[in-house]
Amino acid sequence: MGVTEKRAQHKEEFRREILDAARDLFIKDGYEEFSMRKLAQKIDYSPTTIYLYYKNKDDLLLAICEEFSEQFFTHLHQIRMLSNDPLESLRQALLYFTKFWLGNPNQFKVFFFTKPNVYGTKEEFMEKDSMARDTYLIFREMVRDCIKTGKLADIDAEVLTHAFGVIPHGLIAMTFYSSSFPRADSNVVAQTLVDGLLRGFQR
Amino acid sequence: MGVTEKRAQHKEEFRREILDAARDLFIKDGYEEFSMRKLAQKIDYSPTTIYLYYKNKDDLLLAICEEFSEQFFTHLHQIRMLSNDPLESLRQALLYFTKFWLGNPNQFKVFFFTKPNVYGTKEEFMEKDSMARDTYLIFREMVRDCIKTGKLADIDAEVLTHAFGVIPHGLIAMTFYSSSFPRADSNVVAQTLVDGLLRGFQR
DNA sequence: ATGATAAATTAACACTGTTAATATATCAGA
DNA sequence: TCTGATATATTAACAGTGTTAATTTATCAT
């Protein structure tokens, strides 16, 4: 192995090391606690060193998001394959997301509440290849499956996808951000909402 | 008028002046741009002067929230009085919130996405008298109206209130925070969601 | 005019993400 | 092994945040 290759490999290893530390810090101490300086301290390097491996904070957060998106995609894929009832698949997908994010609030925060958004604009998200985009696309396909097979009302698929997305999104956002406002048990509300909405859109 | 009263009055006037400037800065330049230092500059005082009139940033934000909550409460009250159909009232209330917040994203942000929450914990919110609490209570009452009159399924009122709250909440949060992800027209989705959910919960 | 009180200010602290300039380590070729 | 180049890491700095303590300035009754 040439020296340039060895260098490249080492660089890749270090990138991973930083990413792992970042994910740990993120999950353990939370989004609010995360900072480049704290990450630097954790990996025993100066804060600026990180910038040699990741363009900036967003770049690092994006890498974390992509890791999780891979999980999402794989899971949705399985759900879709395992059942012949597209309505049941969609229900499971919705409950999967709510359950996952209820258990990983910080991950939810990076994903949806980073300013500016880690995935850029709506257009950039759709143009650039990413696991997050693939996840969105397969989710939309699951909604389309329901419409095509006549399980759901023939409403515009984009609208319906968006509408269903609101459920886990709103629920988690409410649970973790709007903690002042009275709330019932999140899991119960999730079940109720998913059931209610699927019933409401059935034709 | 005694001098102490004049002083007190002046103090109250100044509090208002700060509040007005704060609201302006907030609505115009947005939540992210708002800072105590910028507010101070706007009213031509030093940053620390504000602290003589408001305990801290949260205290100031709370005051803004209460102003808006008064609007909410009044509006919900009207809606409830004007119609005999509780289901229609609830529908209007939900659309009112979505519409209001779509037009006032920054207000939504203070309300639900301030860390720590301006209204404190769930318990503090329910114990302490506030316009926000009154708004929540009347909204819950509207949900109860629907259940009592048999318009909605007999599900726990807290759960149902929470579930309905998720709709405007999730929709706005998605629109303004998760701007990377593909979205259909927010107003269309709002209509679709409210209709769908009300249908799903009808008995 | 003096002394007390109220009001406003300056200085400071401990943070944040990020850049430019600088120092240190690594390694190929002479 | 010494030199020069390159890659890597560090320090110093900027402009910003909310907030507190100490200090100055203004107001007003005696």
Side-chain angles (χ1 to χ4, degrees):
Chain A
M1 200 186 330
V3 76
T4 50
E5 287 154 37
K6 240 170 112 182
R7 274 233 165 98
Q9 196 197 337
H10 177 261
K11 186 142 188 166
E12 201 49 52
E13 277 167 14
F14 201 6
R15 266 182 71 93
R16 270 234 72 82
E17 197 183 320
I18 294 173
L19 185 59
D20 288 342
R23 199 198 321 101
D24 280 8
L25 188 65
F26 211 88
I27 293 173
K28 204 163 68 67
D29 295 357
Y31 181 82
E32 277 77 16
E33 281 298 305
F34 182 89
S35 86
M36 296 300 261
R37 282 176 162 85
K38 281 182 187 165
L39 174 58
Q41 199 174 0
K42 193 178 159 78
I43 59 171
D44 251 344
Y45 279 86
S46 81
T48 45
T49 302
I50 301 168
Y51 287 84
L52 299 172
Y53 298 88
Y54 288 93
K55 204 180 136 215
N56 52 28
K57 193 181 174 180
D58 277 357
D59 195 25
L60 195 48
L61 295 182
L62 181 76
I64 299 177
C65 285
E66 280 295 279
E67 278 198 337
F68 280 97
S69 291
E70 213 171 319
Q71 276 184 243
F72 295 161
F73 181 77
T74 310
H75 199 94
L76 289 198
H77 197 74
Q78 275 180 0
I79 287 176
R80 194 161 178 238
M81 292 293 111
L82 283 173
S83 169
N84 282 322
D85 183 359
L87 204 65
E88 194 48 40
S89 293
L90 182 58
R91 183 194 312 273
Q92 277 183 37
L94 287 168
L95 291 176
Y96 165 68
F97 276 120
T98 43
K99 198 177 171 186
F100 177 87
W101 281 324
L102 278 175
N104 300 77
N106 290 319
Q107 191 44 42
F108 180 80
K109 292 178 191 182
V110 226
F111 238 109
F112 298 110
F113 289 92
T114 319
K115 275 278 165 188
N117 278 178
V118 285
Y119 285 102
T121 67
K122 198 173 143 183
E123 289 73 26
E124 287 163 347
F125 177 82
M126 284 309 270
E127 276 164 24
K128 210 175 139 199
D129 188 44
S130 74
M131 290 312 295
R133 190 188 62 169
D134 290 349
T135 305
Y136 168 76
L137 291 176
I138 198 175
F139 181 69
R140 196 179 63 184
E141 217 47 53
M142 289 168 86
V143 174
R144 282 196 178 136
D145 291 344
C146 293
I147 300 173
K148 263 189 258 170
T149 54
K151 298 271 181 179
L152 284 185
D154 193 15
I155 304 173
D156 180 80
E158 291 255 342
V159 172
L160 220 48
T161 306
H162 187 174
F164 280 119
V166 164
I167 301 303
H169 205 99
L171 190 64
I172 313 298
M174 223 165 162
T175 306
F176 293 113
Y177 281 96
S178 316
S179 46
S180 293
F181 295 82
R183 283 159 292 125
D185 180 90
S186 291
N187 284 301
V188 175
V189 178
Q191 277 284 354
T192 309
L193 260 173
V194 171
D195 289 349
L197 199 61
L198 284 175
R199 205 180 308 125
F201 283 146
Q202 237 143 343
R203 56 176 241 167
Chain B
M1 196 185 336
V3 76
T4 50
E5 287 154 36
K6 240 169 111 183
R7 275 234 164 97
Q9 197 198 336
H10 178 260
K11 186 143 188 164
E12 200 50 51
E13 278 168 13
F14 202 5
R15 266 182 70 94
R16 270 234 72 83
E17 197 183 320
I18 294 172
L19 184 60
D20 288 342
R23 198 197 323 100
D24 280 8
L25 188 64
F26 212 89
I27 292 173
K28 206 164 66 69
D29 295 358
Y31 180 83
E32 278 78 16
E33 281 298 304
F34 181 88
S35 85
M36 297 300 262
R37 283 176 161 87
K38 281 182 187 164
L39 174 58
Q41 200 174 357
K42 192 178 160 77
I43 58 172
D44 251 343
Y45 279 86
S46 81
T48 46
T49 302
I50 301 168
Y51 287 85
L52 299 172
Y53 297 88
Y54 289 92
K55 205 179 134 215
N56 52 30
K57 193 181 173 180
D58 277 357
D59 194 25
L60 194 49
L61 296 182
L62 183 76
I64 299 178
C65 285
E66 279 295 280
E67 277 197 337
F68 280 97
S69 291
E70 213 171 318
Q71 275 183 242
F72 295 160
F73 181 77
T74 309
H75 200 95
L76 289 197
H77 198 74
Q78 275 179 0
I79 287 176
R80 194 162 178 237
M81 292 293 111
L82 282 172
S83 169
N84 282 322
D85 183 358
L87 204 64
E88 195 48 41
S89 293
L90 182 58
R91 183 194 311 274
Q92 277 183 37
L94 287 169
L95 292 176
Y96 165 68
F97 276 121
T98 43
K99 198 176 171 185
F100 177 87
W101 281 323
L102 278 176
N104 299 78
N106 290 318
Q107 192 45 40
F108 179 81
K109 291 178 191 183
V110 226
F111 237 109
F112 297 111
F113 289 91
T114 319
K115 276 278 164 188
N117 278 178
V118 286
Y119 285 102
T121 67
K122 198 173 143 182
E123 288 72 26
E124 286 163 348
F125 177 81
M126 284 309 270
E127 277 163 22
K128 210 174 139 199
D129 188 45
S130 74
M131 290 312 294
R133 190 188 63 169
D134 291 348
T135 304
Y136 168 75
L137 291 175
I138 198 175
F139 181 70
R140 195 179 64 185
E141 217 47 53
M142 290 169 85
V143 174
R144 282 195 178 134
D145 291 343
C146 293
I147 300 172
K148 262 189 258 168
T149 54
K151 299 270 180 181
L152 284 185
D154 193 15
I155 303 174
D156 179 79
E158 291 254 343
V159 172
L160 220 48
T161 305
H162 187 173
F164 280 119
V166 164
I167 302 302
H169 205 98
L171 191 64
I172 313 299
M174 223 164 162
T175 307
F176 293 114
Y177 281 96
S178 315
S179 48
S180 293
F181 295 83
R183 284 160 290 125
D185 180 271
S186 292
N187 285 301
V188 175
V189 178
Q191 277 286 355
T192 309
L193 260 173
V194 170
D195 288 349
L197 200 61
L198 284 175
R199 203 180 311 126
F201 284 145
Q202 237 143 345
R203 56 175 242 167

PDB file of all heavy atoms in Angstrom, chain B residues 171-194:
ATOM      1  N   LEU B 171     -48.222  20.199  11.527  1.00  0.00           N
ATOM      2  CA  LEU B 171     -48.243  20.844  10.218  1.00  0.00           C
ATOM      3  C   LEU B 171     -47.333  22.069  10.175  1.00  0.00           C
ATOM      4  O   LEU B 171     -46.524  22.236   9.257  1.00  0.00           O
ATOM      5  CB  LEU B 171     -49.684  21.240   9.876  1.00  0.00           C
ATOM      6  CG  LEU B 171     -49.935  21.695   8.454  1.00  0.00           C
ATOM      7  CD1 LEU B 171     -49.669  20.587   7.469  1.00  0.00           C
ATOM      8  CD2 LEU B 171     -51.362  22.199   8.311  1.00  0.00           C
ATOM      9  N   ILE B 172     -47.462  22.899  11.183  1.00  0.00           N
ATOM     10  CA  ILE B 172     -46.649  24.118  11.219  1.00  0.00           C
ATOM     11  C   ILE B 172     -45.186  23.787  11.465  1.00  0.00           C
ATOM     12  O   ILE B 172     -44.299  24.337  10.808  1.00  0.00           O
ATOM     13  CB  ILE B 172     -47.146  25.080  12.325  1.00  0.00           C
ATOM     14  CG1 ILE B 172     -48.654  25.239  12.286  1.00  0.00           C
ATOM     15  CG2 ILE B 172     -46.446  26.416  12.197  1.00  0.00           C
ATOM     16  CD1 ILE B 172     -49.204  25.796  11.034  1.00  0.00           C
ATOM     17  N   ALA B 173     -44.959  22.886  12.390  1.00  0.00           N
ATOM     18  CA  ALA B 173     -43.579  22.491  12.686  1.00  0.00           C
ATOM     19  C   ALA B 173     -42.894  21.984  11.421  1.00  0.00           C
ATOM     20  O   ALA B 173     -41.754  22.332  11.132  1.00  0.00           O
ATOM     21  CB  ALA B 173     -43.566  21.414  13.766  1.00  0.00           C
ATOM     22  N   MET B 174     -43.616  21.190  10.659  1.00  0.00           N
ATOM     23  CA  MET B 174     -43.086  20.646   9.415  1.00  0.00           C
ATOM     24  C   MET B 174     -42.829  21.757   8.402  1.00  0.00           C
ATOM     25  O   MET B 174     -41.792  21.778   7.734  1.00  0.00           O
ATOM     26  CB  MET B 174     -44.091  19.668   8.837  1.00  0.00           C
ATOM     27  CG  MET B 174     -43.453  18.409   8.321  1.00  0.00           C
ATOM     28  SD  MET B 174     -44.697  17.140   8.106  1.00  0.00           S
ATOM     29  CE  MET B 174     -43.819  16.046   7.019  1.00  0.00           C
ATOM     30  N   THR B 175     -43.770  22.664   8.303  1.00  0.00           N
ATOM     31  CA  THR B 175     -43.659  23.741   7.320  1.00  0.00           C
ATOM     32  C   THR B 175     -42.469  24.637   7.592  1.00  0.00           C
ATOM     33  O   THR B 175     -41.720  24.985   6.681  1.00  0.00           O
ATOM     34  CB  THR B 175     -44.945  24.585   7.307  1.00  0.00           C
ATOM     35  OG1 THR B 175     -46.070  23.723   7.122  1.00  0.00           O
ATOM     36  CG2 THR B 175     -44.908  25.613   6.195  1.00  0.00           C
ATOM     37  N   PHE B 176     -42.268  24.983   8.836  1.00  0.00           N
ATOM     38  CA  PHE B 176     -41.257  25.998   9.128  1.00  0.00           C
ATOM     39  C   PHE B 176     -39.926  25.454   9.612  1.00  0.00           C
ATOM     40  O   PHE B 176     -38.914  26.130   9.527  1.00  0.00           O
ATOM     41  CB  PHE B 176     -41.802  27.007  10.124  1.00  0.00           C
ATOM     42  CG  PHE B 176     -42.906  27.818   9.538  1.00  0.00           C
ATOM     43  CD1 PHE B 176     -44.199  27.717  10.023  1.00  0.00           C
ATOM     44  CD2 PHE B 176     -42.660  28.668   8.467  1.00  0.00           C
ATOM     45  CE1 PHE B 176     -45.231  28.456   9.465  1.00  0.00           C
ATOM     46  CE2 PHE B 176     -43.682  29.407   7.906  1.00  0.00           C
ATOM     47  CZ  PHE B 176     -44.969  29.299   8.406  1.00  0.00           C
ATOM     48  N   TYR B 177     -39.927  24.242  10.114  1.00  0.00           N
ATOM     49  CA  TYR B 177     -38.676  23.708  10.603  1.00  0.00           C
ATOM     50  C   TYR B 177     -38.064  22.685   9.642  1.00  0.00           C
ATOM     51  O   TYR B 177     -36.880  22.741   9.364  1.00  0.00           O
ATOM     52  CB  TYR B 177     -38.862  23.076  11.982  1.00  0.00           C
ATOM     53  CG  TYR B 177     -38.913  24.087  13.084  1.00  0.00           C
ATOM     54  CD1 TYR B 177     -40.116  24.551  13.577  1.00  0.00           C
ATOM     55  CD2 TYR B 177     -37.737  24.599  13.621  1.00  0.00           C
ATOM     56  CE1 TYR B 177     -40.162  25.485  14.592  1.00  0.00           C
ATOM     57  CE2 TYR B 177     -37.767  25.530  14.637  1.00  0.00           C
ATOM     58  CZ  TYR B 177     -38.988  25.975  15.120  1.00  0.00           C
ATOM     59  OH  TYR B 177     -39.026  26.902  16.109  1.00  0.00           O
ATOM     60  N   SER B 178     -38.889  21.769   9.191  1.00  0.00           N
ATOM     61  CA  SER B 178     -38.336  20.695   8.373  1.00  0.00           C
ATOM     62  C   SER B 178     -38.458  21.037   6.901  1.00  0.00           C
ATOM     63  O   SER B 178     -39.014  20.284   6.117  1.00  0.00           O
ATOM     64  CB  SER B 178     -39.082  19.400   8.667  1.00  0.00           C
ATOM     65  OG  SER B 178     -39.224  19.251  10.064  1.00  0.00           O
ATOM     66  N   SER B 179     -37.910  22.177   6.539  1.00  0.00           N
ATOM     67  CA  SER B 179     -38.130  22.704   5.200  1.00  0.00           C
ATOM     68  C   SER B 179     -37.387  21.922   4.125  1.00  0.00           C
ATOM     69  O   SER B 179     -37.568  22.176   2.936  1.00  0.00           O
ATOM     70  CB  SER B 179     -37.748  24.179   5.160  1.00  0.00           C
ATOM     71  OG  SER B 179     -36.500  24.390   5.757  1.00  0.00           O
ATOM     72  N   SER B 180     -36.557  20.982   4.528  1.00  0.00           N
ATOM     73  CA  SER B 180     -35.871  20.155   3.537  1.00  0.00           C
ATOM     74  C   SER B 180     -36.821  19.154   2.899  1.00  0.00           C
ATOM     75  O   SER B 180     -36.679  18.812   1.735  1.00  0.00           O
ATOM     76  CB  SER B 180     -34.730  19.377   4.188  1.00  0.00           C
ATOM     77  OG  SER B 180     -33.722  20.246   4.616  1.00  0.00           O
ATOM     78  N   PHE B 181     -37.781  18.679   3.680  1.00  0.00           N
ATOM     79  CA  PHE B 181     -38.590  17.565   3.228  1.00  0.00           C
ATOM     80  C   PHE B 181     -39.728  18.037   2.326  1.00  0.00           C
ATOM     81  O   PHE B 181     -40.320  19.098   2.561  1.00  0.00           O
ATOM     82  CB  PHE B 181     -39.100  16.791   4.435  1.00  0.00           C
ATOM     83  CG  PHE B 181     -37.985  16.142   5.200  1.00  0.00           C
ATOM     84  CD1 PHE B 181     -37.248  16.864   6.132  1.00  0.00           C
ATOM     85  CD2 PHE B 181     -37.633  14.838   4.955  1.00  0.00           C
ATOM     86  CE1 PHE B 181     -36.194  16.281   6.809  1.00  0.00           C
ATOM     87  CE2 PHE B 181     -36.580  14.245   5.626  1.00  0.00           C
ATOM     88  CZ  PHE B 181     -35.853  14.960   6.557  1.00  0.00           C
ATOM     89  N   PRO B 182     -40.004  17.248   1.302  1.00  0.00           N
ATOM     90  CA  PRO B 182     -41.022  17.643   0.323  1.00  0.00           C
ATOM     91  C   PRO B 182     -42.370  17.830   0.999  1.00  0.00           C
ATOM     92  O   PRO B 182     -42.774  17.037   1.834  1.00  0.00           O
ATOM     93  CB  PRO B 182     -41.082  16.423  -0.611  1.00  0.00           C
ATOM     94  CG  PRO B 182     -39.820  15.691  -0.393  1.00  0.00           C
ATOM     95  CD  PRO B 182     -39.450  15.926   1.021  1.00  0.00           C
ATOM     96  N   ARG B 183     -43.032  18.900   0.619  1.00  0.00           N
ATOM     97  CA  ARG B 183     -44.315  19.197   1.238  1.00  0.00           C
ATOM     98  C   ARG B 183     -45.297  19.683   0.185  1.00  0.00           C
ATOM     99  O   ARG B 183     -44.925  20.383  -0.752  1.00  0.00           O
ATOM    100  CB  ARG B 183     -44.145  20.282   2.290  1.00  0.00           C
ATOM    101  CG  ARG B 183     -43.515  19.786   3.587  1.00  0.00           C
ATOM    102  CD  ARG B 183     -42.936  20.911   4.365  1.00  0.00           C
ATOM    103  NE  ARG B 183     -41.740  21.447   3.695  1.00  0.00           N
ATOM    104  CZ  ARG B 183     -41.574  22.697   3.364  1.00  0.00           C
ATOM    105  NH1 ARG B 183     -42.511  23.590   3.613  1.00  0.00           N
ATOM    106  NH2 ARG B 183     -40.471  23.094   2.769  1.00  0.00           N
ATOM    107  N   ALA B 184     -46.539  19.300   0.368  1.00  0.00           N
ATOM    108  CA  ALA B 184     -47.590  19.828  -0.482  1.00  0.00           C
ATOM    109  C   ALA B 184     -48.018  21.178   0.097  1.00  0.00           C
ATOM    110  O   ALA B 184     -47.469  21.631   1.096  1.00  0.00           O
ATOM    111  CB  ALA B 184     -48.746  18.847  -0.515  1.00  0.00           C
ATOM    112  N   ASP B 185     -48.989  21.814  -0.524  1.00  0.00           N
ATOM    113  CA  ASP B 185     -49.478  23.094  -0.014  1.00  0.00           C
ATOM    114  C   ASP B 185     -50.063  22.932   1.390  1.00  0.00           C
ATOM    115  O   ASP B 185     -50.933  22.095   1.613  1.00  0.00           O
ATOM    116  CB  ASP B 185     -50.546  23.634  -0.972  1.00  0.00           C
ATOM    117  CG  ASP B 185     -51.097  24.965  -0.507  1.00  0.00           C
ATOM    118  OD1 ASP B 185     -52.073  24.961   0.265  1.00  0.00           O
ATOM    119  OD2 ASP B 185     -50.537  25.996  -0.904  1.00  0.00           O
ATOM    120  N   SER B 186     -49.545  23.744   2.324  1.00  0.00           N
ATOM    121  CA  SER B 186     -49.901  23.587   3.732  1.00  0.00           C
ATOM    122  C   SER B 186     -51.398  23.739   3.979  1.00  0.00           C
ATOM    123  O   SER B 186     -51.980  23.017   4.796  1.00  0.00           O
ATOM    124  CB  SER B 186     -49.129  24.593   4.581  1.00  0.00           C
ATOM    125  OG  SER B 186     -47.761  24.265   4.580  1.00  0.00           O
ATOM    126  N   ASN B 187     -52.023  24.666   3.280  1.00  0.00           N
ATOM    127  CA  ASN B 187     -53.455  24.886   3.489  1.00  0.00           C
ATOM    128  C   ASN B 187     -54.279  23.686   3.029  1.00  0.00           C
ATOM    129  O   ASN B 187     -55.244  23.294   3.693  1.00  0.00           O
ATOM    130  CB  ASN B 187     -53.902  26.144   2.746  1.00  0.00           C
ATOM    131  CG  ASN B 187     -53.451  27.406   3.462  1.00  0.00           C
ATOM    132  OD1 ASN B 187     -53.801  27.630   4.616  1.00  0.00           O
ATOM    133  ND2 ASN B 187     -52.634  28.209   2.799  1.00  0.00           N
ATOM    134  N   VAL B 188     -53.876  23.125   1.915  1.00  0.00           N
ATOM    135  CA  VAL B 188     -54.566  21.937   1.407  1.00  0.00           C
ATOM    136  C   VAL B 188     -54.411  20.778   2.384  1.00  0.00           C
ATOM    137  O   VAL B 188     -55.379  20.095   2.737  1.00  0.00           O
ATOM    138  CB  VAL B 188     -54.003  21.540   0.018  1.00  0.00           C
ATOM    139  CG1 VAL B 188     -54.630  20.232  -0.455  1.00  0.00           C
ATOM    140  CG2 VAL B 188     -54.252  22.647  -0.990  1.00  0.00           C
ATOM    141  N   VAL B 189     -53.168  20.575   2.838  1.00  0.00           N
ATOM    142  CA  VAL B 189     -52.911  19.491   3.787  1.00  0.00           C
ATOM    143  C   VAL B 189     -53.714  19.711   5.067  1.00  0.00           C
ATOM    144  O   VAL B 189     -54.268  18.763   5.635  1.00  0.00           O
ATOM    145  CB  VAL B 189     -51.410  19.371   4.095  1.00  0.00           C
ATOM    146  CG1 VAL B 189     -51.151  18.276   5.116  1.00  0.00           C
ATOM    147  CG2 VAL B 189     -50.628  19.074   2.826  1.00  0.00           C
ATOM    148  N   ALA B 190     -53.772  20.964   5.507  1.00  0.00           N
ATOM    149  CA  ALA B 190     -54.530  21.284   6.716  1.00  0.00           C
ATOM    150  C   ALA B 190     -55.992  20.873   6.565  1.00  0.00           C
ATOM    151  O   ALA B 190     -56.537  20.159   7.413  1.00  0.00           O
ATOM    152  CB  ALA B 190     -54.429  22.777   7.014  1.00  0.00           C
ATOM    153  N   GLN B 191     -56.604  21.303   5.496  1.00  0.00           N
ATOM    154  CA  GLN B 191     -57.996  20.936   5.204  1.00  0.00           C
ATOM    155  C   GLN B 191     -58.167  19.421   5.189  1.00  0.00           C
ATOM    156  O   GLN B 191     -59.048  18.864   5.857  1.00  0.00           O
ATOM    157  CB  GLN B 191     -58.413  21.486   3.831  1.00  0.00           C
ATOM    158  CG  GLN B 191     -58.866  22.936   3.827  1.00  0.00           C
ATOM    159  CD  GLN B 191     -60.253  23.119   4.428  1.00  0.00           C
ATOM    160  OE1 GLN B 191     -60.925  22.152   4.768  1.00  0.00           O
ATOM    161  NE2 GLN B 191     -60.670  24.361   4.584  1.00  0.00           N
ATOM    162  N   THR B 192     -57.301  18.780   4.432  1.00  0.00           N
ATOM    163  CA  THR B 192     -57.360  17.326   4.286  1.00  0.00           C
ATOM    164  C   THR B 192     -57.261  16.628   5.636  1.00  0.00           C
ATOM    165  O   THR B 192     -58.046  15.732   5.959  1.00  0.00           O
ATOM    166  CB  THR B 192     -56.212  16.842   3.377  1.00  0.00           C
ATOM    167  OG1 THR B 192     -56.213  17.603   2.168  1.00  0.00           O
ATOM    168  CG2 THR B 192     -56.362  15.372   3.041  1.00  0.00           C
ATOM    169  N   LEU B 193     -56.286  17.068   6.426  1.00  0.00           N
ATOM    170  CA  LEU B 193     -56.036  16.450   7.718  1.00  0.00           C
ATOM    171  C   LEU B 193     -57.206  16.626   8.670  1.00  0.00           C
ATOM    172  O   LEU B 193     -57.673  15.670   9.293  1.00  0.00           O
ATOM    173  CB  LEU B 193     -54.781  17.059   8.342  1.00  0.00           C
ATOM    174  CG  LEU B 193     -53.497  16.263   8.220  1.00  0.00           C
ATOM    175  CD1 LEU B 193     -52.333  17.078   8.740  1.00  0.00           C
ATOM    176  CD2 LEU B 193     -53.605  14.952   8.989  1.00  0.00           C
ATOM    177  N   VAL B 194     -57.679  17.851   8.765  1.00  0.00           N
ATOM    178  CA  VAL B 194     -58.777  18.141   9.691  1.00  0.00           C
ATOM    179  C   VAL B 194     -60.017  17.349   9.299  1.00  0.00           C
ATOM    180  O   VAL B 194     -60.638  16.678  10.134  1.00  0.00           O
ATOM    181  CB  VAL B 194     -59.069  19.656   9.728  1.00  0.00           C
ATOM    182  CG1 VAL B 194     -60.350  19.936  10.502  1.00  0.00           C
ATOM    183  CG2 VAL B 194     -57.902  20.407  10.346  1.00  0.00           C
TER     184      VAL B 194
END
